[in-house]
Amino acid sequence: MTVKGAVACATIVVVGAWCSHVAAGPLTPPAGAPESTDKPLVEVEPRIVINEANTPGDADSRYRITQSGSYYLVRNEPIAGVRHGIEIAASDVTIDLMGFTLLSSNPLPIGSPPISLDGITLDGDASNITVRNGTIRGFGEDGIDLPADDTRFEDLLLIENEGDGLRAGGGSVMLRCESVANGGFGFFAQNEALVVNCKATSNAGAGFGLGGGYTQVLDSTAQFNGGVGFAVGFNSRVAQSSAIGNTIGFGIGSASMLTDSDASFNSEWGIQATESFVDQGSFIERCMVTGPGILVQGQCVVRDCVVGNTMGDGIRVNGQNSRIEGNHVFEAQTAFNVNTTGNLIIRNSAFDSTTTYSIASGNRYGAIVDLSGSAPAVSGAPAPSVLGTTDPWANFAR
């Protein structure tokens, strides 16, 4: 026998001897009725169903939440009568609509007398409330009216409510929400709001009314609203957002920043910046504006923006101490209209406009170079400059 064969035989003998001494388990079942090994429902779904038994309503609400906790819907909920859909009277509440719809059972056209109240509302003082994942439609007042601090809204559709789509308090967070065809604002929030990837369409008022200050907006859209697309207060930040077909695309307050955004075919101004009470202007950079252009008051910086196809002013400066730098305006009535004193206008270009530069006395500006003449063709290098100036701050016109 080989060595490998001997080792294999020895292993079988040892294992067989060990197995022969292992005792088998008992074959007699335990006394009593069999018991389930499943977890109880409270552990599988540790939340509370919103229904008549768990969250009974009162005179002005279909459902009323009075205890902190996590709640959820299990069906579409039509709300009849002049009542709120869900009334919250406690802090630390989360409501998951689970993809269902909370709706007025007999919605009327916008402007009709209310036949219901808010879809979700607040009763008393509360904070730390979350609503997510569903639709709120057709209520006689606001879709959601939660003026509490530190509220959070995720993955919601607010549609065809008589009032605002969503009203929130200070420190609110809005993520991936959409507000469509409401009778007031699409979204309204007080100071310190955070808005990410939200959309307001065809609301009668402003798309986003965020005038309290210290607001941040990212990757959001306001289109075809009856008021301002984005109205943000002082010390706010807006980036990578779009405003299309509103009255004013972006209305930004003092000490605010608007960057990497576009405003198209708004009826009054694409972008409007004001000083307000803190006497400090705003910063506008790398924005694209089609149609009505950019209006700034004092203390502003407008840099590296493109404005075109407007029947009015491309960039208008109505205040003092602004810096207008590196912008390109084309096909405007007046490309750059600076009608006050004390501003700096450098490194801009204005093409195909009725008036390229209209600058009042008392401002400072780089040389304005006429590029309307012809220049020789070039193929390869070297080639001499045909800019007509060595001024590094020059503005250009054609």
Side-chain angles (χ1 to χ4, degrees), residues 4-254:
K4 290 184 178 180
V7 171
C9 289
T11 301
I12 292 171
V13 171
V14 171
V15 172
W18 178 81
C19 290
S20 66
H21 291 86
V22 175
L27 299 178
T28 303
E35 296 182 359
S36 173
T37 59
D38 291 339
K39 293 182 178 180
L41 180 60
V42 70
E43 294 183 18
V44 175
E45 180 55 87
R47 299 186 294 178
I48 303 168
V49 176
I50 297 174
N51 59 24
E52 290 80 357
N54 297 328
T55 54
D58 57 13
D60 68 350
S61 63
R62 171 71 179 275
Y63 300 114
R64 181 175 168 85
I65 295 173
T66 59
Q67 298 293 327
S68 301
S70 184
Y71 297 81
Y72 67 106
L73 285 184
V74 294
R75 63 189 180 189
N76 291 333
E77 288 287 352
I79 307 301
V82 184
R83 294 189 293 175
H84 303 293
I86 300 173
E87 192 170 62
I88 302 172
S91 295
D92 306 318
V93 168
T94 294
I95 296 176
D96 189 345
L97 301 178
M98 296 290 288
F100 293 108
T101 299
L102 189 67
L103 71 157
S104 177
S105 58
N106 293 298
L108 294 175
I110 297 298
S112 302
I115 60 166
S116 57
L117 302 178
D118 301 316
I120 298 178
T121 195
L122 184 70
D123 182 18
D125 295 328
S127 61
N128 189 26
I129 297 171
T130 297
V131 182
R132 62 164 63 102
N133 190 26
T135 298
I136 299 177
R137 175 191 290 269
F139 281 89
E141 294 184 346
D142 301 323
I144 295 177
D145 183 10
L146 292 178
D149 290 337
D150 304 317
T151 49
R152 186 179 182 94
F153 307 93
E154 302 175 7
D155 302 297
L156 296 171
L157 173 60
L158 300 311
I159 183 168
E160 297 173 351
N161 300 287
E162 290 266 0
D164 299 334
L166 191 159
R167 293 183 65 88
S172 59
V173 176
M174 305 176 193
L175 306 177
R176 301 176 303 278
C177 294
E178 185 171 2
S179 193
V180 180
N182 297 286
F185 290 1
F187 298 91
F188 175 88
Q190 297 175 17
N191 55 299
E192 300 179 21
L194 173 63
V195 178
V196 180
N197 195 16
C198 291
K199 187 175 182 180
T201 303
S202 301
N203 299 285
F208 295 84
L210 310 172
Y214 301 99
T215 290
Q216 296 191 58
V217 179
L218 178 65
D219 191 25
S220 294
T221 300
Q223 59 185 19
F224 311 121
N225 298 286
V228 180
F230 294 88
V232 300
F234 59 91
N235 287 103
S236 294
R237 305 292 182 266
V238 182
Q240 299 176 22
S241 295
S242 296
I244 306 165
N246 310 282
T247 55
I248 295 170
F250 296 91
I252 59 175
S254 297

Side-chain angles (χ1 to χ4, degrees), residues 363-380:
N363 293 286
R364 294 290 182 174
Y365 48 90
I368 298 176
V369 180
D370 185 358
L371 299 181
S372 60
S374 62
V378 63
S379 177

